[in-house]
C-alpha cells in the first residue's frame, strides 16, 4: 500500500514557532480545538511539531504554515516550512496588503498626497452636497 | 439548576449538531483573524462565539485557529489540500451572512450530504440482530409484542425445553 504524500496524518498545519535553536529546524506548536466530553466546550490542545527550515528564516513567534513531507526526514521531522503566514513584528494585512500592528495600520492609508487640483475641487463639491442634504434627514 | 456561562446553549449536543457547515474534504485548516473591539468586527466576534463550535463539531479533522487583534480588518482564511488559500473578508458582515457564505463556497452541498447518509445506511441492515455497536437491537425480546426476555419474565411451561422433553418422553 503506497502513500502518495505524507507519512503522517496532518498534511497542512498552521502553528506558532516556539524554538529555532536547532539548525535548519523550527519547533512549531500547533493548537487544535478539542471537545471536552463532559463540559461540551472546546479547548485548545497543543502539540509540537518539528519542521525543516532550510534557510533558517523563522523567528520565535512567527505564525507558519507547514506541509507534510512525502517521507520522514529524520526521527522527528516530518514537515517542512511552506510559508510564513505572519512574521512577528511585521504583520501584513492580507486584505489591504499594508503593514499593520494590532488594530491599526502602520502607514497612512489615504492617498491624499497624490490628489490633484481637480480631485480636491471635486471632493469638496461632493462634501458641500452632503452638507446640504443632512438637515433634510 | 441552570447551566453555567453566558450562552450555555452553545454547550449542548443538540445545538452543536445543528451546525450545517460540513467542509469539503480538501479543507485542512481554517484561520479566523478578528478583533475584540470595534463595530466592524462584531459579526466576526459573534461568528467565533456561536458558530465555530458548531463547525468544529461537524468537522473534527479541520484545524481551526483563532487570532485576536493581529490586523485591523477581520478575515477568514482557509488552507486547502492543493496548497490553495481562500481569503474571506468578513468586515461588516453578520455572523449569519458569514456562515452562509462559507457554506456556499467550501461546504458540502445538501445533495452530497444526503448521498453520504444513504451510503452509510446501506452498510448496516436494520433488520439484523447483534452487538449494539453494529446493530440496532440485540435480541428479539427487545421488541414490543414479542416474547419478553426470560431473564425478567419466566417463560410459560409449554415453551420450556424441560417440559417439551418430558411431554415427548411420555408420548
Amino acid at each position: 500500500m503506497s502513500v502518495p504524500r505524507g507519512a503522517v496524518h496532518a498534511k497542512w498545519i498552521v502553528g506558532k514557532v516556539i524554538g529555532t535553536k536547532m539548525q535548519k529546524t523550527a519547533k512549531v506548536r500547533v493548537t487544535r480545538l478539542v471537545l471536552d466530553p463532559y463540559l461540551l466546550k472546546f479547548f485548545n490542545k497543543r502539540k509540537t511539531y518539528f519542521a525543516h527550515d532550510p534557510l533558517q528564516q523563522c523567528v520565535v513567534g512567527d505564525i507558519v504554515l507547514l506541509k507534510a513531507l512525502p517521507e520522514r526526514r529524520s526521527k522527528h521531522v516530518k514537515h517542512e516550512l511552506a510559508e510564513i503566514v505572519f512574521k512577528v513584528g511585521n504583520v501584513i494585512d492580507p486584505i489591504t496588503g499594508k503593514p499593520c500592528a494590532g488594530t491599526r495600520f502602520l502607514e497612512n492609508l489615504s492617498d491624499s498626497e497624490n490628489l490633484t487640483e481637480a480631485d480636491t475641487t471635486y471632493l469638496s463639491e461632493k462634501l458641500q452636497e452632503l452638507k446640504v442634504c443632512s438637515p433634510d434627514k | 439548576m441552570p447551566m453555567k456561562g453566558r450562552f450555555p446553549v452553545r454547550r449542548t449536543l443538540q445545538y452543536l449538531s445543528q451546525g450545517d457547515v460540513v467542509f469539503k474534504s480538501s479543507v485542512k485548516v481554517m484561520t479566523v483573524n478578528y478583533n475584540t473591539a470595534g463595530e466592524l468586527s462584531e459579526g466576526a466576534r459573534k461568528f467565533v462565539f456561536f458558530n465555530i463550535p458548531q463547525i468544529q463539531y461537524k468537522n473534527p479533522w479541520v484545524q481551526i485557529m483563532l487570532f485576536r487583534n493581529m490586523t485591523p480588518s477581520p478575515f477568514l482564511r482557509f488552507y486547502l489540500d492543493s496548497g490553495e488559500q481562500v481569503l474571506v473578508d468578513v468586515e461588516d458582515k453578520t455572523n449569519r451572512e458569514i456562515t452562509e457564505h462559507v457554506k456556499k463556497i467550501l461546504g458540502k452541498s445538501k445533495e452530497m450530504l444526503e448521498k453520504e447518509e444513504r451510503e452509510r445506511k446501506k452498510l448496516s441492515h436494520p433488520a439484523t440482530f447483534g452487538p449494539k455497536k453494529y446493530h440496532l437491537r440485540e435480541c428479539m425480546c427487545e421488541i414490543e409484542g414479542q416474547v419478553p426476555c426470560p431473564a425478567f419474565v419466566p417463560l410459560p411451561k409449554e415453551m420450556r425445553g424441560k417440559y417439551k422433553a418430558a411431554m415427548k418422553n411420555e408420548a
Side-chain angles (χ1 to χ4, degrees):
Chain A
M1 188 175 80
S2 64
V3 180
R5 196 173 60 83
V8 74
H9 191 259
K11 305 277 184 283
W12 294 86
I13 33 181
V14 170
K16 185 172 180 176
V17 175
I18 47 174
T20 53
K21 296 257 174 67
M22 292 178 284
Q23 286 164 6
K24 297 196 183 167
T25 314
K27 196 198 283 188
V28 177
R29 176 179 286 157
V30 165
T31 59
R32 291 173 208 267
L33 290 170
V34 172
L35 184 67
D36 181 276
Y38 180 70
L39 292 177
L40 288 180
K41 185 176 167 171
F42 284 97
F43 292 99
N44 280 324
K45 186 174 174 170
R46 311 166 161 181
K47 190 166 176 180
T48 47
Y49 290 89
F50 292 102
H52 179 59
D53 177 19
L55 306 168
Q56 283 196 280
Q57 50 182 316
C58 288
V59 180
V60 175
D62 290 348
I63 311 292
V64 296
L65 174 71
L66 305 181
K67 182 175 166 170
L69 290 167
E71 304 89 26
R72 266 195 332 185
R73 204 188 150 80
S74 77
K75 184 175 167 195
H76 293 289
V77 178
K78 301 170 285 249
H79 298 269
E80 62 165 353
L81 179 75
E83 75 162 298
I84 300 181
V85 177
F86 296 118
K87 190 108 184 81
V88 69
N90 195 12
V91 176
I92 309 275
D93 182 16
I95 308 234
T96 53
K98 308 275 185 235
C100 58
T103 47
R104 61 176 195 88
F105 287 102
L106 286 176
E107 58 172 49
N108 200 4
L109 273 185
S110 64
D111 51 355
S112 51
E113 301 93 37
N114 301 337
L115 285 176
T116 59
E117 283 286 338
D119 290 333
T120 43
T121 45
Y122 176 72
L123 281 173
S124 49
E125 276 168 15
K126 284 283 168 190
L127 278 170
Q128 284 291 330
E129 274 176 27
L130 286 171
K131 278 183 197 157
V132 168
C133 292
S134 46
D136 295 337
K137 282 189 196 166
Chain B
M1 201 241 333
M3 281 174 82
K4 289 196 192 284
R6 265 192 298 162
F7 279 89
V9 71
R10 299 176 296 142
R11 293 196 290 119
T12 51
L13 278 174
Q14 195 197 17
Y15 176 83
L16 289 175
S17 48
Q18 262 171 9
D20 48 359
V21 182
V22 180
F23 285 132
K24 297 180 183 158
S25 50
S26 60
V27 177
K28 297 288 172 194
V29 186
M30 171 173 159
T31 303
V32 185
N33 271 273
Y34 65 107
N35 293 327
T36 46
E39 276 289 323
L40 302 165
S41 211
E42 183 64 36
R45 261 174 276 146
K46 290 248 179 305
F47 175 74
V48 165
F49 192 72
F50 288 110
N51 302 102
I52 291 267
Q54 289 178 320
I55 296 177
Q56 181 76 96
Y57 185 75
K58 287 282 172 172
N59 308 277
W61 298 110
V62 170
Q63 182 198 356
I64 298 183
M65 285 206 89
L66 307 171
F67 295 109
R68 286 172 197 83
N69 299 325
M70 282 189 84
T71 70
S73 50
F75 59 91
L76 266 61
R77 201 145 164 192
F78 299 89
Y79 296 88
L80 307 184
D81 204 10
S82 55
E84 201 184 324
Q85 292 177 20
V86 182
L87 183 66
V88 181
D89 188 6
V90 300
E91 195 158 351
D92 217 2
K93 280 195 188 156
T94 62
N95 67 338
R96 200 152 180 190
E97 283 169 24
I98 301 173
T99 38
E100 296 283 305
H101 187 67
V102 165
K103 190 163 130 187
K104 196 157 67 158
I105 52 173
L106 289 166
K108 281 191 183 154
S109 62
K110 226 174 174 177
E111 297 88 35
M112 268 217 73
L113 286 172
E114 277 171 14
K115 199 169 111 184
E116 279 175 13
E117 186 69 40
R118 267 180 275 140
E119 296 289 308
R120 257 179 281 151
K121 275 208 182 122
K122 262 194 210 165
L123 293 172
S124 60
H125 199 308
T128 46
F129 296 88
K132 280 265 183 263
K133 192 176 169 189
Y134 303 106
H135 304 95
L136 286 175
R137 298 155 296 207
E138 280 194 323
C139 179
M140 183 70 91
C141 64
E142 291 178 35
I143 303 173
E144 286 173 12
Q146 297 296 330
V147 172
C149 191
F152 301 101
V153 171
L155 286 175
K157 247 194 344 211
E158 295 84 21
M159 287 194 198
R160 297 188 65 199
K162 195 170 169 179
Y163 181 81
K164 282 191 203 167
M167 287 281 105
K168 206 167 161 196
N169 281 341
E170 250 183 63

